[in-house]
Amino acid sequence: LIWCGAAFGIVTAVVPFILDEEDASLVPVFMAATTAMACVCLLLAFFLSRGTSKPAPGVADSVAEQERFLSVVEKQCEALKN
């Protein structure tokens, strides 16, 4: 939804350049519509992402394993220096 909101924001910025002088009366209408859709998408993305701050199952174990691996590599590098 964040990408959708960003896309609507870009469309809002580009609408005046795409619609020529012959459609000048439609430019404010399209700009208002795309701005409203961008705001709705961004607000939905904000409110839907509030409860998903927990990492996926197994991620914490993977990070812990990577930390152990990096500590072993660090110890080996220090041993090589001495």
Side-chain angles (χ1 to χ4, degrees), residues 15-26:
V15 161
F17 300 108
I18 293 176
L19 295 178
D20 294 337
E21 288 79 23
E22 60 198 35
D23 297 329
S25 63
L26 294 176

Side-chain angles (χ1 to χ4, degrees), residues 4 6 23 26 30 48 69 73 75 81-82:
C4 185
D23 297 329
L26 294 176
F30 280 112
L48 292 177
F69 172 74
V73 169
K75 288 178 185 177
K81 287 181 183 178
N82 297 332

Side-chain angles (χ1 to χ4, degrees), residues 2-80:
I2 292 175
W3 290 107
C4 185
F8 278 123
I10 292 170
V11 169
T12 302
V14 174
V15 161
F17 300 108
I18 293 176
L19 295 178
D20 294 337
E21 288 79 23
E22 60 198 35
D23 297 329
S25 63
L26 294 176
V27 171
V29 174
F30 280 112
M31 287 184 71
T34 55
T35 302
M37 287 191 280
C39 290
V40 167
C41 287
L42 292 174
L43 285 173
L44 278 173
F46 174 73
F47 287 119
L48 292 177
S49 67
R50 288 185 127 190
T52 59
S53 61
K54 297 177 185 175
V59 171
D61 296 333
S62 174
V63 170
E65 183 180 342
Q66 289 175 357
E67 287 177 352
R68 287 191 299 271
F69 172 74
L70 291 175
S71 68
V72 169
V73 169
E74 184 181 20
K75 288 178 185 177
Q76 289 177 350
C77 289
E78 288 176 4
L80 289 174

